[in-house]
Amino acid sequence: MHSLPRSGRLRPALARLARAVRPPLSRPHRRRRAGRTRRRRLYVSIVTVLSVIVSAVMVAYLRTPLPTEPQPGVTDEGSTVYYADGRTPLFRLGANRDIVRHDQIPDRLRWAVLAAEDRGFYGDHGVSPAGTVRALWNNASGGATQGGSTITQQLARNYFKGLSRDRTAGRKFKEIFVAVKLARHRDKDEILDLYLNTIFFGRQTSGAQAAARAYFDKDVWQLNVAECALLAAMIQRPAYFRTRGDDGPARALRARWRYVLDGMVAMGRLSRADADRQRFPATRDEWRGVELSGQSLLVRQRVLDELRALRIPVESVMNGRLRIYTGLDPRWMGYAEQAMKRAQEPRWPGHVRGGLIAVDPADGAVKAFYGGDPKRSQFDSVFNPVAQAGSTFKPYVLAAALRRGFSVRSRVSGKSPRKFAPDGSETPMTAPGYRVDNDGKIGSLGAMDLVKATALSVNTGYVKLAFEAGVANVLRTALDFGVPASALKPFKGQAGIALGTADVAAVHQAAGYAALANGGTAVTPHLITRIVDARGKDVPLPWHRPGRRVINGERAAQVTYALRATVTEGTGRRAALPDRDVAGKTGTTDNNRAAWFVGYVPRLSAAVVMANTRPAPLKDLPGFPGRVAGENLPSSVWRWFMEKVTRDLPAEAFPEPVFSGIKADWDDTPPP
C-alpha cells in the first residue's frame, strides 16, 4: 500500500507541473512585467521615505518645547532722562524701549504693520507655506534672507530663547515648529502685542512707543494713519530707509509706505479715498539731546554720579524703566553755550579751562551749564574744581561776621600793605606775620564800611574781618553754605582763607550764593529733580528735604546789599543788567591765574570761572588781549547769559535790610 507524499514534497512537484503546462511568455510581456515591478518598488520606496520624513518631523515637532522665556535683553527697558519740562528726553540709559499695553496700541497701527509684514496673520497657523519654501530655497542656494517669515515666525526668532541666528534648514524648521506651537497656545493679539513692543524700528529704538517718540515726538496712541504706515514700513529695512531727502533710501521708503497703505485698503481696513488722501508724514530730526551744545557726555556722567550717590544699582538704571527728570532747560543750556562761545572759549588753548553754571535758589536744581568745549577737552570745568575761589569766597567771610551779630555798617581799614600777627593784630612790616596786599588798582585806602570793602574787594579789610569773625567760624560758615569740607580742610586756622585760597567748583559757588538769593537757606546742587520707578512710585531724594537755614533773612539781605554795591559801584559793574538789580562778586587769584564772577537775581544764581592750569597769568585769549580778571571777561560772560535767561523771569526786587546788628569799628590803623 502506497503512502501519500509529504506536503514538503508535494508543493515543488506541483510547481514544476505548472511550469511544464504553462505556455512561455513573450519578450515584450516580460519587459512590461519588469517595469511594473520596478514602479511598484519605487512607490514603496517613496512612501517609505515620506513616512520616515513625516515621522521624523512629527518627532522633531513633539520634542520642540513651547518657548516661555525671552532672549536676554529683548524685554529690557532702559531709563529715560528728561529735561525740566518733563516731556523732552535728554537721552536714554540702557535699551530704548517702552512697553505699552494692548489698549494703548491703536488699531490703525496694528493693521498697518500687518499690511506690511503679514496680511494673513489672523487666518494662518503661524507659518506661511509659500514663504517658508521661498526662505528654505534662499537658505539652500545662498540667496538673501528675505520674505516668508510671518509675524509669529519673526517673534519666535527674535523674541524667545532657544533659536540661533544660523542660516540653516535645521534652524528654519525649528523656527516653524515654534511658530506653530505659539499660534496654537497663544492668542493672536498677545503675539502681535509682543511683536509691536519689541521689533526694531530704527533710530536706536525698539518697540512702537519708543519709535513714535523718536520719529514724531508723540505717544504711540496719538499717531495718525500716515504715521502708523511709516513706522510699519520702517520694519522691513530700518537701517537703510531714510525719512527725508530724495535719494534711493528715501524713495524706497516712500514706495514701501504706499505699499502699506495699499495693503490696508486690500484688507478692508482703509478706504481707497482715505488712502489717497494720506500724505507722507514729516519726521522730527533724529533727536540728539544736548549733543547740540556739546554737553551730553557731561550731563550723562553727572546723572550717573548722582544715581551712584543715591545707591541706585546700575542694573536698575539700565533695565529698570526709571523716569529720571532733571532741572535742565534746553534753551538755557543753549544760552550758556552761546555766552561762552561769544568769549571764544572753543578757541582757547588747551591749558585754559572755563565754564558757566546756573542754579535755582529755591531748591538747588541745576538749570543750565556749560562745562567746556569737548573738542578742546573732556574735562568738566564746572562740577570739578579748576581754580581757587579768589575773592568770590569773601561773602562767606561777611556772612560769618553777621552770624556773630555784626552789621555791614561795621568799619575796617583799607590800608595796604598790612601784616597781621596770629591774633589778628597789625604788626610792623619788618616783623614776622601774614602780609596782605590789595589789588594794585585799588591801592591803599582809608577806613570804610563792609559794604564798600566788599564792593571794592579790599583784601586787607577782609583778612581783618576774618580774624574778628573767627577763622574757625569762617570755615564753618563756608561749609554750611555748601563749600565741600575737602576744599576747606587744608586751610584750618589760616586767615588767608578769606581771600579764597581754597579750590572750589563753580557748581558749589553758584549753590552757595543761591542760599543768599533765597534768604539764607542752604541748597544742595543737583541735576536730578525726580525719579519715578517702573511702578510709578517716586524715589525719595535727599535734596527734597528742607534745607538748613544758615543765616536769617535780615543778614542775608545785608550780604546781598553789599553784593549789589559790587555791581553798581564796585568791581562787578560789567555784570549789571538793564532791567533789574544784580548781586554778585568778582574774583581774581594771585598773578591772574584764575578769574570769576558769581552773582544772582532773586530766582537764579550763576557762576562763571576761567583758569589757567599752568603757573602763569591768564591773558591774551582769542578776542581778548591782556590779563583776564573777574571784573572784565567773566563779568561780561555772566551778563550775556543772564540777559537772555532773565527774559523768562519776573523782575523782582531784593529785600531791603534794616541793618540790624553791632556796628563795630575795626579801623585799628594808627593815625599818621
Side-chain angles (χ1 to χ4, degrees):
M1 184 176 181
H2 296 285
S3 62
L4 291 174
R6 297 179 181 176
S7 60
R9 296 176 180 175
L10 180 60
R11 290 194 193 97
L14 292 175
R16 285 193 298 270
L17 178 61
R19 285 196 298 269
V21 300
R22 186 171 57 195
L25 295 175
S26 65
R27 183 175 298 176
H29 185 74
R30 288 198 299 271
R31 284 200 298 267
R32 285 196 296 272
R33 183 174 179 181
R36 286 196 296 270
T37 302
R38 286 195 297 271
R39 286 195 295 273
R40 188 180 302 112
R41 291 173 179 172
L42 177 62
Y43 296 154
V44 170
S45 299
I46 292 174
V47 170
T48 302
V49 170
L50 290 177
S51 299
V52 171
I53 292 175
V54 170
S55 299
V57 168
M58 291 301 298
V59 170
Y61 174 79
L62 293 173
R63 289 182 176 180
T64 300
L66 176 66
T68 57
E69 295 295 324
Q71 298 177 22
V74 75
T75 59
D76 286 359
E77 294 180 67
S79 299
T80 307
V81 181
Y82 295 93
Y83 276 114
D85 62 10
R87 178 173 178 81
T88 305
L90 258 161
F91 52 83
R92 297 277 301 196
L93 295 170
N96 191 3
R97 179 185 291 110
D98 290 313
I99 303 296
V100 289
R101 302 186 310 271
H102 175 84
D103 59 357
Q104 293 176 306
I105 303 173
D107 286 343
R108 52 188 173 275
L109 178 60
R110 297 176 191 280
W111 291 113
V113 170
L114 294 180
E117 296 295 312
D118 189 357
R119 297 182 184 182
F121 173 74
Y122 280 106
D124 64 30
H125 296 287
V127 295
S128 167
T132 299
V133 170
R134 182 168 62 250
L136 289 172
W137 173 256
N138 285 334
N139 288 340
S141 62
T145 54
Q146 51 148 353
S149 291
T150 65
I151 279 179
T152 310
Q153 287 176 261
Q154 293 181 51
L155 189 70
R157 179 172 63 248
N158 299 321
Y159 181 86
F160 288 103
K161 186 186 299 184
L163 283 177
S164 70
R165 296 301 182 93
D166 298 334
R167 292 180 57 188
T168 64
R171 199 277 305 160
K172 190 66 179 178
F173 276 118
K174 189 173 182 180
E175 173 190 306
I176 293 170
F177 298 155
V178 171
V180 172
K181 287 198 171 186
L182 286 174
R184 290 185 59 194
H185 293 88
R186 297 249 186 168
D187 183 77
K188 287 286 189 178
D189 285 342
E190 181 185 2
I191 291 173
L192 187 55
D193 288 348
L194 287 175
Y195 181 83
L196 291 174
N197 274 312
T198 55
I199 195 68
F200 182 65
F201 284 91
R203 291 198 176 185
Q204 300 180 343
T205 63
S206 295
Q209 170 66 358
R213 301 288 300 164
Y215 285 94
F216 304 110
D217 194 22
K218 294 180 178 181
D219 290 311
V220 65
W221 51 88
Q222 296 174 319
L223 298 178
N224 59 36
V225 171
E227 293 164 343
C228 289
L230 187 143
L231 290 189
M234 288 297 302
I235 295 173
Q236 185 190 50
R237 303 179 72 184
Y240 173 75
F241 288 144
R242 291 172 57 87
T243 62
R244 298 185 178 191
D246 196 40
D247 56 4
R251 292 194 300 272
L253 176 59
R254 289 195 292 272
R256 181 70 175 175
W257 174 79
R258 179 54 61 184
Y259 168 82
V260 173
L261 292 175
D262 290 343
M264 295 177 72
V265 172
M267 297 169 70
R269 300 298 171 176
L270 186 69
S271 70
R272 172 49 61 188
D274 286 340
D276 292 341
R277 280 194 292 267
Q278 302 302 316
R279 295 295 177 264
F280 191 80
T283 58
R284 63 182 304 188
D285 290 333
E286 186 162 356
W287 194 84
R288 293 178 294 170
V290 291
E291 287 181 23
L292 296 174
S293 64
Q295 303 301 292
S296 60
L297 292 177
L298 300 185
V299 176
R300 187 179 187 276
Q301 186 57 52
R302 289 304 305 176
V303 167
L304 290 174
D305 288 346
E306 290 186 8
L307 291 170
R308 191 176 301 111
L310 293 168
R311 299 181 182 276
I312 297 177
V314 65
E315 58 269 18
S316 296
V317 178
M318 298 304 176
N319 189 25
R321 292 189 294 161
L322 301 178
R323 297 196 302 277
I324 303 169
Y325 301 92
T326 72
L328 295 174
D329 185 307
R331 292 178 303 114
W332 290 15
M333 290 286 288
Y335 297 154
E337 178 188 19
Q338 293 165 20
M340 292 299 295
K341 285 189 173 179
R342 187 170 175 180
Q344 301 192 41
E345 181 270 342
R347 296 178 55 207
W348 291 356
H351 58 85
V352 177
R353 292 174 178 162
L356 181 157
I357 189 165
V359 169
D360 188 342
D363 57 10
V366 175
K367 303 297 294 182
F369 74 89
Y370 182 84
D373 186 347
K375 294 179 181 178
R376 289 198 314 115
S377 172
Q378 292 293 326
F379 188 84
D380 161 26
S381 297
V382 290
F383 290 99
N384 292 312
V386 298
Q388 293 179 330
S391 291
T392 61
F393 195 90
K394 288 175 179 174
Y396 308 135
V397 183
L398 181 57
L402 298 184
R403 294 213 302 188
R404 295 291 295 270
F406 299 107
S407 164
V408 293
R409 296 303 191 193
S410 299
R411 291 164 57 84
V412 293
S413 171
K415 175 188 172 182
S416 177
R418 295 182 73 181
K419 186 171 283 190
F420 296 96
D423 63 356
S425 62
E426 186 173 4
T427 65
M429 296 301 296
T430 56
Y434 174 44
R435 175 175 171 143
V436 183
D437 295 85
N438 289 336
D439 185 82
K441 295 179 181 178
I442 299 174
S444 184
L445 303 172
M448 64 191 72
D449 66 12
L450 295 177
V451 175
K452 186 173 182 179
T454 303
L456 299 180
S457 201
V458 178
N459 291 340
T460 57
Y462 256 89
V463 171
K464 178 63 177 179
L465 182 62
F467 278 117
E468 296 299 334
V471 175
N473 183 38
V474 170
L475 292 170
R476 185 165 53 251
T477 300
L479 183 66
D480 290 344
F481 271 88
V483 178
S486 59
L488 300 171
K489 186 177 181 179
F491 305 99
K492 183 178 180 180
Q494 299 181 22
I497 191 67
L499 305 183
T501 51
D503 290 345
V504 185
V507 65
H508 292 124
Q509 286 297 81
Y513 281 46
L516 297 170
N518 68 28
T521 300
V523 297
T524 301
H526 56 277
L527 286 182
I528 299 174
T529 58
R530 186 187 180 198
I531 300 176
V532 180
D533 66 19
R535 297 171 296 175
K537 294 184 178 180
D538 280 62
V539 176
L541 301 177
W543 40 80
H544 284 173
R545 294 192 291 265
R548 177 185 177 188
R549 177 167 284 278
V550 296
I551 193 172
N552 66 29
E554 162 61 15
R555 291 166 181 166
Q558 288 194 46
V559 177
T560 297
Y561 184 86
L563 296 178
R564 288 162 61 191
T566 301
V567 177
T568 57
E569 56 193 68
T571 58
R573 287 189 288 269
R574 292 194 185 188
L577 297 175
D579 62 340
R580 67 194 70 211
D581 286 339
V582 170
K585 186 72 187 73
T586 58
T588 307
T589 64
D590 285 347
N591 201 26
N592 292 76
R593 284 187 59 187
W596 292 77
F597 186 83
V598 186
Y600 55 93
V601 295
R603 296 199 182 188
L604 193 66
S605 174
V608 176
V609 63
M610 302 174 185
N612 190 349
T613 59
R614 296 176 178 175
L618 182 60
K619 64 178 183 179
D620 298 331
L621 296 179
F624 191 85
R627 292 197 173 203
V628 177
E631 60 264 25
N632 49 52
L633 192 56
S635 296
S636 296
V637 170
W638 190 93
R639 186 187 76 249
W640 296 336
F641 171 71
M642 293 294 285
E643 281 176 339
K644 292 185 177 181
V645 299
T646 53
R647 296 170 188 168
D648 300 331
L649 302 174
E652 298 175 335
F654 288 113
E656 294 294 335
V658 298
F659 301 106
S660 62
I662 302 169
K663 298 178 182 178
D665 189 350
W666 294 306
D667 179 21
D668 55 358
T669 55

